[in-house]
Amino acid sequence: MATSSVIWALLGVFALFLTLSSADNSHVLSYSPSDLHSQAKLVSLFDAWNMKHGKHYTAAQKLEKHKRFHIFRDNLMRIEAHNSKGSTFKLGLNRFADLTQDEFKQSRRLGLKLPSVKLGSLRRRSHFHHKSETPMVTAESLDWRTLGAVTPVKDQGMCGSCWAFSATGAIEGANAVATGNLVSVSEEELVTCSSESGCDGGLMDDAFEWVIDNGGIATEDNYPYLSYSGSSGACDTKIEEEEKAVSIDGYADVQPYSEAALLEAVAKQPVSVAIEASSWDLQLYVEGVYNGTCSSDPYDINHGVLLVGYGSENGVDYWIVKNSWGSSWGDSGFIRMIRNGSPFGICAIHSMSSYPIKNASSMPLVADL
Ligand SMILES: *[C@@H]1O[C@H](CO)[C@@H](O)[C@H](O)[C@H]1NC(C)=O
Ligand SMILES: *[C@@H]1O[C@H](CO)[C@@H](O)[C@H](O)[C@H]1NC(C)=O
């Protein structure tokens, strides 16, 4: 009796170990192509997906459930068509699998707000002539995640606050590179204190300017994210005045429409970038090097994210990008995107990049005490 309970306990530990070690993209529901030919199998896949994502439908929501099932099935057909034709990236039944592309676009998971001034300067920039350049970067690959400059993936929820997540990621990176300390800082402070539009969108450079003017930004722990469902509260002015855990000294814009300039920037630290992020294959992206149907027109950029590295796989060059859609989207919350040598880059990723400047000398001199 005692022996069998020990065995059961060991089996439990082993099962837990299996669960943890396969945690990577376990948010993606797997299916087999034959499931697509059976209505019963499709229904049970949909039920399993709902269970995985904590979605429940009451009897009164029967019509809505029916509608979601049809969208889910259509997405699955497109996923399978894409995956079977062979490309550098895979799609799958991730957390957004029951949304149409339009619904996804409207769901405020983006949030880059381009003022007309910025659009005007984009237009002027787009008339630049681009000579081909050779980047002054020596390393073949670089991943700031393995160098301790990237915090775990966060989730902006249904709030158009991508700009705040992109900015905090870049500030966390600049601070880690300058001081050796990786400190997660507050999007909620940016959303509630720095901007009048909050969940209605913003710009990373405005966030950097605010942090400079404010003399710093609070930690994630002291000012946690609460705008997940789409409404942001009032600024906590006490925290705003008293908690300046991380400061920056300035910020710089990367020369637009230059892959070489962006590569040089990310060789120094993680960089805030803007992309066009409303394509269906980005919505359902799971892994690999994305080379999909997003727009590469700089006028279409609508989402702020964080560039955290670059590399090359089977002769295909890529960027490593941290998103703010939680770890149950994409490759545990990240996406690799092709570096294709085009002027605007995949999803116009070369259009509007910037990073905070933190002088190494401005780090707190705790060691002097
Ligand atoms: C990326 O997509 C384009 C357009 O579909 C295609 O021409 C190109 O070969 C693809 N690149 C790779 C590396 O698959
Ligand atoms: C940071 O460095 C820049 C460039 O060297 C300098 O102009 C600026 O005054 C410095 N700022 C602080 C706060 O030390």
Side-chain angles (χ1 to χ4, degrees):
M1 179 108 171
T3 320
S4 75
S5 58
V6 167
I7 289 172
W8 280 114
L10 283 174
L11 279 176
V13 169
F14 185 61
L16 182 67
F17 171 75
L18 279 183
T19 319
L20 291 177
S21 58
S22 66
D24 236 12
N25 271 333
S26 58
H27 64 275
V28 181
L29 184 70
S30 52
Y31 65 90
S32 77
S34 64
D35 294 347
L36 275 64
H37 305 297
S38 145
Q39 180 77 0
K41 289 238 175 84
L42 286 169
V43 169
S44 73
L45 266 181
F46 183 57
D47 288 342
W49 183 88
N50 281 322
M51 185 117 75
K52 210 176 188 57
H53 295 277
K55 290 208 166 186
H56 305 282
Y57 293 94
T58 62
Q61 294 168 309
K62 207 176 159 186
L63 273 180
E64 176 65 15
K65 185 176 183 185
H66 195 68
K67 181 178 161 192
R68 291 294 138 207
F69 171 72
H70 280 274
I71 296 166
F72 177 87
R73 193 190 57 186
D74 290 350
N75 278 336
L76 179 54
M77 301 295 167
R78 298 180 85 180
I79 288 167
E80 177 54 20
H82 170 89
N83 289 347
S84 63
K85 84 174 183 229
S87 81
T88 52
F89 65 107
K90 288 263 181 277
L91 306 178
L93 294 170
N94 66 11
R95 64 181 298 199
F96 301 135
D98 73 342
L99 298 176
T100 66
Q101 185 188 355
D102 265 354
E103 287 169 337
F104 183 70
K105 225 188 260 191
Q106 306 304 326
S107 69
R108 303 223 294 175
R109 287 196 171 83
L110 308 171
L112 194 70
K113 192 182 228 168
L114 290 175
S116 46
V117 186
K118 203 85 189 177
L119 280 177
S121 76
L122 281 179
R123 179 177 298 129
R124 281 197 304 281
R125 288 164 171 191
S126 67
H127 290 302
F128 284 174
H129 176 70
H130 302 282
K131 57 181 189 327
S132 63
E133 304 152 88
T134 319
M136 310 280 288
V137 170
T138 45
E140 293 272 296
S141 65
L142 174 77
D143 187 344
W144 284 111
R145 293 174 296 183
T146 62
L147 297 169
V150 184
T151 59
V153 167
K154 305 179 187 183
D155 190 353
Q156 69 185 84
M158 310 277 271
C159 168
S161 52
C162 65
W163 57 276
F165 285 81
S166 172
T168 55
I171 292 168
E172 291 159 357
N175 186 58
V177 171
T179 71
N181 295 325
L182 182 59
V183 180
S184 186
V185 297
S186 174
E187 297 76 33
E188 188 72 6
E189 183 172 16
L190 291 176
V191 170
T192 55
C193 303
S194 85
S195 141
E196 279 150 37
S197 42
C199 283
D200 293 330
L203 281 176
M204 288 78 93
D205 279 1
D206 292 347
F208 298 147
E209 273 180 29
W210 185 86
V211 173
I212 295 163
D213 290 347
N214 192 53
I217 182 168
T219 61
E220 187 83 53
D221 282 349
N222 282 340
Y223 204 153
Y225 190 61
L226 299 172
S227 301
Y228 189 88
S229 61
S231 56
S232 49
C235 175
D236 185 332
T237 51
K238 187 170 151 60
I239 295 181
E240 182 192 24
E241 280 161 28
E242 293 174 7
E243 302 280 341
K244 298 171 199 269
V246 172
S247 64
I248 54 174
D249 300 308
Y251 70 95
D253 288 338
V254 179
Q255 182 197 333
Y257 312 137
S258 165
E259 187 178 297
L262 191 52
L263 205 55
E264 277 173 42
V266 75
K268 284 183 274 182
Q269 64 188 88
V271 176
S272 285
V273 294
I275 58 172
E276 194 285 304
S278 50
S279 63
W280 73 277
D281 49 12
L282 204 107
Q283 175 190 338
L284 301 170
Y285 166 85
V286 167
E287 63 187 8
V289 179
Y290 178 82
N291 178 29
T293 62
C294 62
S295 164
S296 292
D297 181 338
Y299 287 100
D300 292 336
I301 53 175
N302 52 17
H303 190 46
V305 287
L306 186 71
L307 185 59
V308 298
Y310 61 89
S312 195
E313 180 181 81
N314 306 323
V316 179
D317 294 339
Y318 60 80
W319 301 114
I320 309 169
V321 173
K322 183 191 189 190
N323 201 349
S324 49
W325 294 344
S327 54
S328 59
W329 172 85
D331 196 347
S332 301
F334 292 84
I335 178 171
R336 289 185 294 155
M337 304 177 85
I338 195 166
R339 261 189 302 139
N340 56 14
S342 69
F344 303 145
I346 183 81
C347 311
I349 195 171
H350 303 163
S351 306
M352 198 181 75
S353 321
S354 57
Y355 54 88
I357 294 167
K358 185 169 176 78
N359 298 354
S361 60
S362 69
M363 65 191 276
L365 295 171
V366 179
D368 284 357
L369 293 175

